[in-house]
Amino acid sequence: MQLSRDVVLLITHSGDFFTIDRVAEALSKKGVQPFRLDTDKFPLEVQLTAHFDKSQSYHKLEYGTHSISTEQVQAVWMRRIWEPELSKELAPKYREACIRESLATLDAFWDSLKGAKWVDDLERINAAHNKLRQLRAASEVGFIIPQTVITNKAESAREFFHQVNGKMVSKLLTAISRSMEANSSFFMYTSAVKEEDLEDAESLRYCPMVFQEQIPKQQELRVVYVNGHVFVGALEASVYAAAKVDWRKPGVEVGAWQHHELPDEVVRRLQAFMGKFGLLFGALDFILTPSGEYVFLEVNPIGEWGMLEKDLDLPIASAIADALIP
């Protein structure tokens, strides 16, 4: 079945739920047709055909009983891109090539949608994932940031540990998991560092790490930015003390999310920060210290927000839908 003229393409994966459903529902209520593309179902269940001739090109996407052409797509929500789920019958020697070719084909398809409105553009998302750039930009707009060292040199890590009086945490520059779900065994959480941990710091020569001063917490904030609008959820640090550093760890009882209103000056800095990356969406993490300072930690340009809409009834999906409507 060919869908109507005005379509918003939702790029995600087959295991995605709630947030994708809420955005699709919000778009439908606003009179816009959503089309969900589960990237892990390409190429086994999703068919993509591109035709080129001397004067024009034509792309068609078929998934289940529905099909669209690129001319119909008015906007794109870049939620997630996952690798293909290929048949176990496929010989391992062919698997890598099939995955590579499938992802390359999807990349070509994204290019055919360059005339659509994106939330957000892939190049901007990729640029914003650079955590060193994040810290520089945050400092430039006036945010307080933790003292930070990124190194593959053991002695530098040990020196920084003493510089911050043993109050140090470690994390990676990149995610090694696709989600924060508790059933993911490959998510690297922010962890406190003890002096004995640094006895084996020579292993840093294989993989550099991020080391930051451990900021005292009154609350930890998840701040969702959508096209100038700000939605905030707060967790009381005392409630999830068992997590030590990172409330996202599986099995940690974090208590209830609470509403929180950012000071106007913090909102202005946040808007300036997002403007530096040209992003319409971002999920940011802040710490509110006992002395009342807001400390910037990081931004995830495709971060999670479903728990805030679910627990606090914040209209984030509706705001994303509005941002997608040209």
Side-chain angles (χ1 to χ4, degrees):
M1 181 176 66
Q2 187 80 8
L3 298 183
S4 63
R5 172 67 185 174
D6 295 329
V7 173
V8 172
L9 181 63
L10 311 180
I11 301 174
T12 186
H13 60 90
S14 60
D16 200 7
F17 65 99
F18 188 75
T19 51
I20 191 78
D21 297 331
R22 293 298 288 261
V23 171
E25 180 183 355
L27 286 167
S28 296
K29 288 181 178 179
K30 298 174 188 293
V32 178
Q33 176 71 57
F35 186 97
R36 174 173 176 161
L37 171 58
D38 293 321
T39 51
D40 55 320
K41 296 303 182 183
F42 178 77
L44 291 187
E45 297 181 35
V46 176
Q47 290 78 48
L48 200 163
T49 304
H51 290 283
F52 293 86
D53 60 30
K54 293 181 180 179
S55 60
Q56 62 182 2
S57 62
Y58 175 80
H59 297 73
K60 184 177 181 180
L61 183 66
E62 300 171 83
Y63 188 15
T65 60
H66 296 89
S67 67
I68 58 170
S69 66
T70 50
E71 289 79 6
Q72 294 174 261
V73 178
Q74 303 300 304
V76 181
W77 182 33
M78 177 49 68
R79 163 76 176 152
R80 289 287 188 272
I81 299 176
W82 277 23
E83 287 188 353
E85 290 183 358
L86 299 178
S87 171
K88 294 180 180 179
E89 298 175 358
L90 183 65
K93 63 181 179 180
Y94 300 125
R95 180 176 297 273
E96 183 179 343
C98 290
I99 290 175
R100 184 176 62 248
E101 289 299 305
S102 296
L103 292 176
T105 301
L106 285 177
D107 280 341
F109 181 61
W110 310 148
D111 181 70
S112 73
L113 297 168
K114 61 182 181 296
K117 182 179 183 181
W118 284 68
V119 180
D120 273 294
D121 178 83
L122 263 174
E123 291 184 2
R124 293 179 178 179
I125 288 174
N126 291 335
H129 274 304
N130 186 323
K131 288 187 170 56
L132 280 73
R133 186 178 290 129
Q134 290 182 22
L135 290 172
R136 175 176 57 79
S139 181
E140 288 173 353
V141 302
F143 280 136
I144 300 169
I145 61 173
Q147 294 184 70
T148 304
V149 166
I150 301 165
T151 187
N152 65 335
K153 185 178 179 181
E155 189 56 36
S156 294
R158 295 188 183 107
E159 289 175 359
F160 184 65
F161 181 84
H162 293 293
Q163 180 183 333
V164 296
N165 300 315
K167 300 294 184 181
M168 186 169 86
V169 299
S170 64
K171 58 185 180 181
L172 296 179
L173 282 174
T174 60
I176 52 178
S177 170
R178 295 180 294 194
S179 74
M180 298 191 306
E181 296 300 319
N183 61 0
S184 172
S185 59
F186 297 104
F187 195 91
M188 180 70 179
Y189 297 93
T190 301
S191 303
V193 178
K194 299 178 182 178
E195 191 162 18
E196 52 265 32
D197 296 329
L198 296 174
E199 294 175 2
D200 193 33
E202 299 300 332
S203 61
L204 283 172
R205 69 182 185 273
Y206 297 111
C207 180
M209 292 193 72
V210 181
F211 299 98
Q212 291 184 321
E213 64 173 317
Q214 186 170 346
I215 304 297
K217 303 176 183 179
Q218 176 176 316
Q219 291 183 323
E220 192 150 1
L221 309 178
R222 172 54 60 99
V223 179
V224 179
Y225 174 96
V226 186
N227 197 23
H229 302 284
V230 177
F231 307 91
V232 188
L235 292 173
E236 291 293 336
S238 60
V239 175
Y240 64 98
K244 303 296 184 184
V245 175
D246 200 328
W247 57 266
R248 299 170 297 175
K249 289 183 178 179
V252 172
E253 294 294 332
V254 299
W257 286 94
Q258 303 175 17
H259 289 278
H260 185 91
E261 186 172 348
L262 296 176
D264 291 343
E265 182 58 33
V266 174
V267 172
R268 284 192 291 270
R269 289 173 180 167
L270 174 57
Q271 292 169 336
F273 174 84
M274 295 298 287
K276 281 181 172 290
F277 293 98
L279 293 174
L280 296 177
F281 174 88
L284 303 96
D285 290 325
F286 285 83
I287 287 174
L288 176 61
T289 70
S291 62
E293 292 182 320
Y294 288 83
V295 181
F296 170 90
L297 297 180
E298 62 183 19
V299 59
N300 185 337
I302 53 172
E304 298 294 341
W305 50 268
M307 63 284 193
L308 302 188
E309 177 145 337
K310 182 178 180 181
D311 294 354
L312 301 177
D313 199 29
L314 295 175
I316 301 173
S318 181
I320 292 173
D322 285 336
L324 286 164
I325 298 175

